[in-house]
Amino acid sequence: MSKMYYTKEHEWVKIDGNIATVGISDYAAHQLGDITFVELPKLGKAVKQFEVLCAIESVKAASDIYAPVSGSVLSVNETLNTRPEIVNESPEESAWMATMKMTDPSEVAKLMSREQYDEYRKGL
């Protein structure tokens, strides 16, 4: 069974075995406004936890998306190339950005549960 975690930079990650699916939170999508472009990572790209994974542009700003865990990119959501607006429509389901093969599952301990993330957001 998969489980979701969140970062302080508002990424979410769904963990299923050693596969991590990454996107941005509903909160982040609303804060950014209308998403106009998603620069997806290249397949095979290796990143360490909290390093830049990819980027996103909205009518308000361009933002880096950070890797919630270390690993290499296995697949990307090609739909975002032609329909970046789905980040606003379904940020925590249809608008996943990449799947990664995790190299250190213990890093999940540095992430927040949904409840912890909701508490964190209240302080922003």
Side-chain angles (χ1 to χ4, degrees), residues 41 45-55 63-67:
K45 178 179 180 175
V47 292
K48 295 200 178 296
Q49 187 177 35
F50 306 133
E51 286 184 351
V52 174
L53 176 65
C54 58
S63 303
D64 288 331
I65 307 298
Y66 299 95

Side-chain angles (χ1 to χ4, degrees), residues 5-15 20-24 47-53 65-71 98 100 102 104-112:
Y5 298 91
Y6 295 83
T7 70
K8 289 184 177 180
E9 301 298 325
H10 309 290
E11 292 87 9
W12 60 260
V13 59
K14 187 181 296 182
I15 307 292
T21 304
V22 179
I24 64 168
V47 292
K48 295 200 178 296
Q49 187 177 35
F50 306 133
E51 286 184 351
V52 174
L53 176 65
I65 307 298
Y66 299 95
V69 292
S70 300
M100 299 173 58
M102 296 190 330
D104 185 358
S106 70
E107 292 175 339
V108 171
K110 298 176 186 172
L111 304 174
M112 295 180 277

Side-chain angles (χ1 to χ4, degrees), residues 47-116:
V47 292
K48 295 200 178 296
Q49 187 177 35
F50 306 133
E51 286 184 351
V52 174
L53 176 65
C54 58
I56 192 166
E57 292 180 22
S58 71
V59 292
K60 292 182 178 176
S63 303
D64 288 331
I65 307 298
Y66 299 95
V69 292
S70 300
S72 57
V73 175
L74 292 175
S75 65
V76 297
N77 187 350
E78 300 282 352
T79 304
L80 295 174
N81 288 328
T82 55
R83 296 196 56 236
E85 66 274 14
I86 63 173
V87 174
N88 295 109
E89 297 166 3
S90 180
E92 297 191 20
E93 292 180 25
S94 301
W96 61 274
M97 295 177 184
T99 62
M100 299 173 58
K101 182 176 181 182
M102 296 190 330
T103 54
D104 185 358
S106 70
E107 292 175 339
V108 171
K110 298 176 186 172
L111 304 174
M112 295 180 277
S113 68
R114 180 68 197 208
E115 294 76 21
Q116 290 169 321

